[in-house]
């Protein structure tokens, strides 16, 4: 691995435009549950069925109970060395874009600036009546939180299963992928579209693409580099 780490470090040094894509794996090392595959249950509810607009329409109080539990859990956690190393990389590379599928806000907490949270942010809420988006860091929003502007029911400002991503954010993510010199794909299973296709957009644009994940993914064989281990241990080594 040492030889490959050294080669990737040199590639990063020579790159002008760097794009990074992160997934649940980077935050799992901080204690954030991934909910995909084994353990994808919360109080006997399938999380992938609970995090939908249909579930919210049917039982908003149950959905909010789940999100208040997530807020409380994540409020006690913090960023890890992988998050921090990406902040350092952004300082070194002026043309840097971080695309994250995570909604936990840990990249922002670590200090990332040029960040595209394509699946939303757990700490933002959106009014179902007036669509106003606000930041609220309360660990518990209560059973049915209301908008302070119009009194409408609030919902988490995240992209649920069955919903489309924000078109502008997605376009910016695609542009950053197509036009980078190097792309790091960190802690993602590479099965969720459209994020999983961004690495191929980067490769088609001529970029070097490196995967850092606990285990191999469906995209590993197409990568220029594939490191399997903890992001918190591998990513900081790229900046030594």
């Amino acid at each position: 691995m040492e030889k490959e780490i050294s080669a990737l470090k040199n590639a990063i040094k020579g790159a002008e435009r760097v794009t990074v894509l992160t997934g649940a794996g980077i935050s799992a090392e901080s204690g954030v549950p991934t909910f995909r595959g084994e353990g994808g249950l919360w109080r006997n509810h399938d999380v992938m069925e609970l995090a939908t607009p249909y579930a919210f329409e049917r039982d908003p109080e149950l959905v909010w109970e789940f999100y208040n539990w997530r807020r409380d859990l994540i409020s006690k956690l913090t960023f890890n060395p992988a998050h921090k190393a990406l902040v350092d990389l952004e300082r070194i590379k002026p043309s840097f874009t971080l695309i994250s599928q995570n909604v936990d806000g840990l990249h922002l907490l670590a200090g990332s600036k040029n960040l595209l949270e394509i699946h939303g942010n757990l700490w933002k809420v959106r009014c179902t009546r007036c669509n106003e988006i606000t930041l609220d860091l309360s660990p518990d929003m209560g059973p049915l939180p209301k908008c302070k502007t119009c009194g409408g029911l609030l919902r988490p400002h995240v992209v649920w299963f069955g919903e489309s991503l924000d078109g502008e954010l997605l376009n910016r993510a695609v542009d950053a992928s197509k036009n980078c010199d190097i792309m790091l794909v960190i802690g993602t299973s590479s099965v969720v579209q459209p994020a999983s296709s961004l690495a191929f957009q980067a490769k088609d644009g001529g970029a070097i693409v490196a995967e850092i994940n606990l285990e191999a993914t469906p995209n590993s064989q197409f990568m220029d580099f594939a490191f399997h281990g903890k992001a918190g241990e591998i990513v900081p080594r790229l900046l030594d």
Side-chain angles (χ1 to χ4, degrees):
M1 182 189 280
E2 291 300 327
K3 186 177 179 182
E4 288 78 10
I5 289 277
S6 179
L8 183 54
K9 282 173 64 174
N10 287 332
I12 291 172
K13 282 180 184 177
E16 288 186 17
R17 296 161 298 178
V18 177
T19 297
V20 179
L21 171 67
T22 64
I26 193 171
S27 291
E29 294 179 33
S30 287
V32 179
T34 62
F35 295 123
R36 188 168 290 278
E38 280 189 45
L41 293 176
W42 171 76
R43 297 183 187 174
N44 294 321
H45 295 283
D46 184 336
V47 169
M48 294 178 71
E49 291 182 4
L50 198 60
T52 70
Y54 319 109
F56 189 71
E57 185 177 344
R58 183 173 63 250
D59 194 343
E61 194 164 343
L62 175 66
V63 174
W64 262 115
E65 187 181 356
F66 168 60
Y67 276 91
N68 282 327
W69 172 79
R70 290 191 74 187
R71 279 172 162 259
D72 182 63
L73 185 153
I74 294 171
S75 70
K76 299 178 175 69
L77 305 177
T78 192
F79 54 87
N80 62 55
H83 293 103
K84 193 68 180 71
L86 293 178
V87 176
D88 295 336
L89 182 56
E90 182 174 9
R91 289 198 189 103
I92 297 167
K93 299 292 180 180
S95 185
F96 176 94
T97 304
L98 173 55
I99 306 162
S100 185
Q101 301 171 81
N102 300 335
V103 300
D104 49 54
L106 293 183
H107 282 302
L108 284 171
L109 189 64
S112 289
K113 306 292 185 190
N114 194 14
L115 171 65
L116 305 178
E117 294 177 308
I118 59 173
H119 289 168
N121 187 309
L122 182 74
W123 302 104
K124 292 179 181 178
V125 290
R126 184 168 80 247
C127 179
T128 57
R129 183 184 296 167
C130 72
N131 286 320
E132 183 179 17
I133 299 167
T134 53
L135 179 70
D136 194 311
L137 301 178
S138 308
D140 190 335
M141 296 286 294
L144 291 170
K146 298 294 194 298
C147 174
K148 293 177 181 177
T149 300
C150 74
L153 178 64
L154 295 174
R155 57 158 283 177
H157 184 55
V158 297
V159 179
W160 281 328
F161 296 103
E163 294 183 323
S164 299
L165 273 62
D166 179 286
E168 182 188 348
L169 276 182
L170 182 57
N171 287 338
R172 288 169 63 190
V174 169
D175 286 345
S177 302
K178 284 182 175 179
N179 297 304
C180 65
D181 300 314
I182 193 161
M183 181 182 226
L184 306 181
V185 181
I186 305 171
T188 174
S189 60
S190 295
V191 297
V192 178
Q193 288 287 4
S196 63
S197 66
L198 294 176
F200 293 102
Q201 304 266 14
K203 278 193 76 71
D204 287 346
I208 294 170
V209 184
E211 174 184 85
I212 300 165
N213 199 50
L214 272 180
E215 55 194 13
T217 75
N219 288 353
S220 296
Q221 59 183 317
F222 305 109
M223 298 290 172
D224 297 295
F225 296 91
F227 300 102
H228 299 134
K230 290 185 176 181
E233 296 173 359
I234 296 172
V235 180
R237 291 175 62 187
L238 299 175
L239 278 78
D240 286 345

